[in-house]
Amino acid sequence: MIESLLNCENAELTHKTQKGTPVVLSTRLRLARNLVGTPFPERASMAQRSDILSKCATHLSGLGKMTKGIFFEISNLSDLEKQVLVERHLISRELCESKQGSGVYIDKDQTCSVMINEEDHLRIQFLKSGFQLKNVWKQIDRFDSKLETDLDIAFDSEFGYLTACPTNLGTGLRASVMMHLPGLVLSGQMERVARAVSQLGITVRGLFGEGSDATGHVFQISNQQTLGEKEEAIIERLGNVLKTVIDHEVNARFKCLEDSGSKLLDHIGRAYGLLRNAHVVTSTEAMHHLSLLRLAVDFEMLPETKRADIDRFFIECQPGHVQYSANEGIEPDARDVYRATKLRKELASLPSLDFDKVTVLP
Amino acid sequence: MIESLLNCENAELTHKTQKGTPVVLSTRLRLARNLVGTPFPERASMAQRSDILSKCATHLSGLGKMTKGIFFEISNLSDLEKQVLVERHLISRELCESKQGSGVYIDKDQTCSVMINEEDHLRIQFLKSGFQLKNVWKQIDRFDSKLETDLDIAFDSEFGYLTACPTNLGTGLRASVMMHLPGLVLSGQMERVARAVSQLGITVRGLFGEGSDATGHVFQISNQQTLGEKEEAIIERLGNVLKTVIDHEVNARFKCLEDSGSKLLDHIGRAYGLLRNAHVVTSTEAMHHLSLLRLAVDFEMLPETKRADIDRFFIECQPGHVQYSANEGIEPDARDVYRATKLRKELASLPSLDFDKVTVLP
């Protein structure tokens, strides 16, 4: 059912990496919205959930953004298909586990996805590669306005948008940026930075949100508060904090090069050598090494044109993607062999690492 | 002082690897000999040691094999120079620690070295690449006969050659073969084979003899007994045992390929990728990976012409060799960087691993 998403050659996360974008992988905004006069999904009866689903889906199909979009009822998807959508950040793990009567509408380029009957009736998400908080805010805001012209959305003059969980009350906005922070991790500064950032009301989490690890040195950094601040102010404040994090990351990278250049080049060299030659690679190891290849692009040791491929592998090396493309019945061991084969093949055309581009003190 | 040895382009261990020689790296025979009427080195006075040294050195210089040979008095060598000679298997660790008045005579091609005043007055060694027990025996026997024409060697009609340590009594012969046994190690059979072999009076040790580890899956296998058997019988018996070990090793390699082909190819691929791209490599790691590259040559995944280079790196990646060629004052950390740089440079011309040559069951 999901082939068209996987085969799309214009998908935001896998095909739209921009040139010269170190540190920030992608920007994602989501709005929580609920319909007036209907219980929240968790409290709604099966019939009510079903009503909400069909009402919202119909409405979404009429929006310009969703022309050529695709709708899935979650109960029609296999576990593997759900996992693939989670790995593409198009649906949440929570939606996978939801009761009957939930779904997702995804636009053709996979920039926009709207989950129906997740924790809230509607979870609208816009996702763009690179650091584009303001731009993505404009897009999601315009989409939300259109959506609200016909749908009666629960809004309180005092509390703002009403949501199933009070932590989303107010704007219902979660803005999160996927950051690639190998410099901070390798120099041992990540924990300190995360602590400092969290004191500013900003959350730092791993690649797949709450409780997940920072595989591949990738962190999701997002606003905590949704209440008491205007959307533009939330985004402005988050953006400013992230700019500081980017500065710290860039400094950490150069400090690593200066203080222990050989060690850093060793990490990068080994990652390159392993991905191009190994025959058994777990997804965690793949992510870790791909992260170092992305760093090599930042350091101009690999051509800028390879950045997009590396970002695509970040997604395509996830267990679900590998299993889906290999065949459903494959065993975990065979999955690691399949992943290694794919990486060797795809990376065969990489030029040698150009270590001379990097100036390292002896 | 030892430059000429290092720069020699015809040295046995580093330049004479023969084509198509899997499993056996080199064959080494040594004879322990002592002069009549003089205390063993440990018991001899300084004056006596000095006498023995000059007498033997003069005599050796007259032998045809030693034309263009080179003589070192051990006390004139720096610690680093001694280490380099140990790494080339030209002198023993014991000789390095001996008192004043000991030395070594080494022939031009480094096939033959004669230590003077090590444990015995004379320790004659012949070393050839490949599996050549009988051939090397002929050579060392001829050399020994010449040596004994003028020197009065202690020989007892009942006990044979007299030696400082009773374990060498009789023939004074130690025949040892350097074997590359990754198949037995990776398949977990090495311990069992070593135990079986030792019950036949054969000793299995690591790369640098007693108490050393089997770095790079390399083992020295040698006769234990020197008494009660003729030289030819010792060599015959050792040779037969080694042929069995070779069979076991070859079987183990193919069984590894059959049972866990991906894992074995993974080991080889990673070794290849790391040696060509790492920036910090210890000697132990280098040996381990070089061992797997040698295996790749055996499997025809790398061209046969590369075997000699790999064998040379086995020697040249040892700590002393790296430090000597980098400069005496280098720190251990910098040594690992220097080693990695050398390996990257030397291996840059390797073709890709040809995995298709190997048939692996899925």
Side-chain angles (χ1 to χ4, degrees), chain A residues 98-358:
Chain A
S98 61
K99 295 183 246 176
Q100 282 275 336
S102 59
V104 63
Y105 222 120
I106 300 168
D107 83 319
K108 189 171 151 279
D109 295 346
Q110 300 163 49
T111 316
C112 168
S113 79
V114 182
M115 293 188 284
I116 305 167
N117 283 331
E118 203 238 30
E119 187 180 285
D120 296 295
H121 293 146
L122 290 161
R123 285 275 176 111
I124 309 159
Q125 171 188 278
F126 269 67
L127 185 158
K128 295 284 272 182
S129 78
F131 193 23
Q132 307 201 45
L133 276 171
K134 283 181 186 169
N135 181 21
V136 178
W137 165 245
K138 268 185 216 158
Q139 294 188 25
I140 199 170
D141 186 36
R142 202 178 314 137
F143 183 88
D144 179 48
S145 301
K146 277 186 195 156
L147 191 83
E148 293 192 32
T149 51
D150 286 329
L151 286 177
D152 207 359
I153 298 295
F155 184 84
D156 178 275
S157 59
E158 190 181 349
F159 293 117
Y161 289 102
L162 300 179
T163 54
C165 178
T167 55
N168 291 314
L169 213 58
T171 57
L173 170 68
R174 179 86 65 225
S176 82
V177 172
M178 203 77 87
M179 302 189 89
H180 180 230
L181 306 175
L184 291 174
V185 173
L186 295 174
S187 64
Q189 296 179 68
M190 190 58 215
E191 209 174 311
R192 194 172 54 75
V193 168
R195 229 180 303 125
V197 162
S198 77
Q199 282 170 0
L200 300 168
I202 306 289
T203 308
V204 179
R205 294 179 297 184
L207 181 56
F208 287 104
E210 229 157 325
S212 73
D213 285 338
T215 329
H217 312 122
V218 173
F219 296 84
Q220 270 188 61
I221 306 191
S222 57
N223 66 309
Q224 233 164 56
Q225 284 174 309
T226 54
L227 190 66
E229 245 179 333
K230 284 209 157 221
E231 288 85 347
E232 287 82 0
I234 290 174
I235 280 164
E236 177 84 21
R237 205 158 62 81
L238 178 66
N240 288 337
V241 171
L242 293 182
K243 277 176 203 152
T244 316
V245 174
I246 294 173
D247 285 347
H248 279 297
E249 168 62 20
V250 171
N251 286 338
R253 290 179 183 186
F254 284 102
K255 199 163 154 38
C256 267
L257 264 188
E258 225 172 280
D259 295 352
S260 49
S262 297
K263 214 168 136 192
L264 183 60
L265 298 187
D266 190 53
H267 282 314
I268 293 175
R270 284 167 186 256
Y272 174 93
L274 289 182
L275 290 178
R276 278 169 60 100
N277 293 284
H279 282 247
V280 187
V281 177
T282 65
S283 68
T284 307
E285 192 190 6
M287 300 291 280
H288 180 80
H289 296 329
L290 286 169
S291 160
L292 290 163
L293 288 200
R294 198 181 210 271
L295 188 60
V297 174
D298 294 342
F299 281 139
E300 296 182 26
M301 291 158 60
L302 284 176
E304 181 61 46
T305 49
K306 297 296 174 184
R307 185 186 297 280
D309 289 338
I310 295 166
D311 284 359
R312 179 165 54 83
F313 301 150
F314 257 109
I315 304 291
E316 292 181 353
C317 282
Q318 305 286 337
H321 274 74
V322 169
Q323 186 153 351
Y324 191 85
S325 94
N327 265 332
E328 298 233 3
I330 198 174
E331 298 289 319
D333 280 3
R335 205 155 64 192
D336 293 343
V337 172
Y338 188 94
R339 179 182 294 110
T341 307
K342 175 194 166 68
L343 283 164
R344 279 204 318 284
K345 205 174 134 195
E346 296 250 24
L347 295 173
S349 67
L350 270 194
S352 298
L353 286 172
D354 187 353
F355 291 116
D356 297 336
K357 289 267 173 126
V358 183

Side-chain angles (χ1 to χ4, degrees), chain B residues 71-355:
Chain B
F71 172 73
F72 301 110
E73 215 176 305
I74 298 304
S75 55
N76 290 338
L77 295 173
S78 70
D79 285 349
L80 181 54
E81 287 172 321
K82 289 183 219 171
Q83 192 183 344
V84 168
L85 296 182
V86 168
E87 287 170 2
R88 294 177 94 78
H89 296 281
L90 293 171
I91 65 173
S92 64
R93 284 184 182 158
E94 292 68 29
L95 189 71
C96 298
E97 288 151 20
S98 62
K99 295 183 247 174
Q100 280 277 334
S102 60
V104 64
Y105 222 118
I106 301 167
D107 84 317
K108 188 171 152 278
D109 294 347
Q110 302 164 48
T111 316
C112 168
S113 77
V114 183
M115 293 189 283
I116 306 167
N117 284 330
E118 202 239 28
E119 188 179 284
D120 296 296
H121 293 147
L122 290 161
R123 286 274 177 110
I124 309 160
Q125 171 188 279
F126 269 67
L127 184 158
K128 296 284 273 182
S129 77
F131 193 22
Q132 307 201 45
L133 276 171
K134 283 180 187 171
N135 181 21
V136 178
W137 164 244
K138 268 186 216 156
Q139 293 187 24
I140 199 169
D141 187 34
R142 202 178 314 136
F143 183 87
D144 179 46
S145 302
K146 277 185 195 158
L147 190 84
E148 293 192 31
T149 51
D150 287 330
L151 285 177
D152 206 1
I153 299 294
F155 184 84
D156 179 275
S157 58
E158 189 181 350
F159 293 117
Y161 289 101
L162 301 178
T163 53
C165 178
T167 54
N168 291 314
L169 213 58
T171 57
L173 171 66
R174 180 86 65 225
S176 81
V177 171
M178 202 78 85
M179 302 189 90
H180 180 228
L181 306 173
L184 292 174
V185 173
L186 295 175
S187 65
Q189 296 179 68
M190 189 57 216
E191 210 173 312
R192 194 172 55 73
V193 168
R195 230 180 303 125
V197 162
S198 78
Q199 281 169 1
L200 300 167
I202 306 287
T203 308
V204 179
R205 292 179 297 183
L207 182 56
F208 288 103
E210 228 157 323
S212 72
D213 285 338
T215 329
H217 312 121
V218 173
F219 296 85
Q220 270 187 61
I221 306 192
S222 56
N223 65 308
Q224 234 163 55
Q225 284 174 311
T226 54
L227 190 65
E229 244 179 332
K230 283 210 158 218
E231 288 87 346
E232 287 81 2
I234 291 174
I235 281 165
E236 179 83 21
R237 206 158 60 83
L238 178 67
N240 288 338
V241 172
L242 293 182
K243 276 176 203 151
T244 316
V245 174
I246 293 174
D247 285 348
H248 279 295
E249 167 64 19
V250 171
N251 287 338
R253 290 179 184 185
F254 285 102
K255 200 164 155 37
C256 266
L257 263 188
E258 225 171 278
D259 294 352
S260 49
S262 296
K263 212 167 136 192
L264 184 59
L265 298 187
D266 191 53
H267 282 312
I268 292 175
R270 284 167 186 256
Y272 174 92
L274 288 183
L275 289 177
R276 277 169 60 100
N277 294 285
H279 281 246
V280 187
V281 177
T282 65
S283 68
T284 308
E285 192 189 7
M287 300 291 281
H288 181 80
H289 296 330
L290 286 168
S291 160
L292 291 161
L293 287 200
R294 198 180 209 272
L295 188 60
V297 174
D298 294 342
F299 281 139
E300 297 182 26
M301 292 158 62
L302 283 176
E304 182 60 47
T305 49
K306 297 297 174 185
R307 185 187 296 280
D309 289 337
I310 295 166
D311 284 359
R312 180 165 53 83
F313 301 150
F314 257 109
I315 304 291
E316 292 182 352
C317 283
Q318 304 287 335
H321 274 74
V322 169
Q323 186 153 351
Y324 191 85
S325 96
N327 266 333
E328 297 234 2
I330 198 175
E331 299 287 322
D333 281 3
R335 207 155 65 193
D336 293 344
V337 172
Y338 188 93
R339 180 182 294 109
T341 307
K342 174 193 167 69
L343 283 163
R344 281 205 316 283
K345 206 174 133 194
E346 298 249 22
L347 295 172
S349 67
L350 272 193
S352 298
L353 288 172
D354 187 353
F355 291 116

Side-chain angles (χ1 to χ4, degrees), chain A residues 24-44:
Chain A
V24 175
L25 295 171
S26 61
T27 303
R28 192 152 52 112
L29 263 62
R30 73 104 168 111
L31 295 171
R33 298 289 183 257
N34 287 281
L35 304 178
V36 164
T38 321
F40 290 128
E42 183 60 32
R43 302 271 179 136

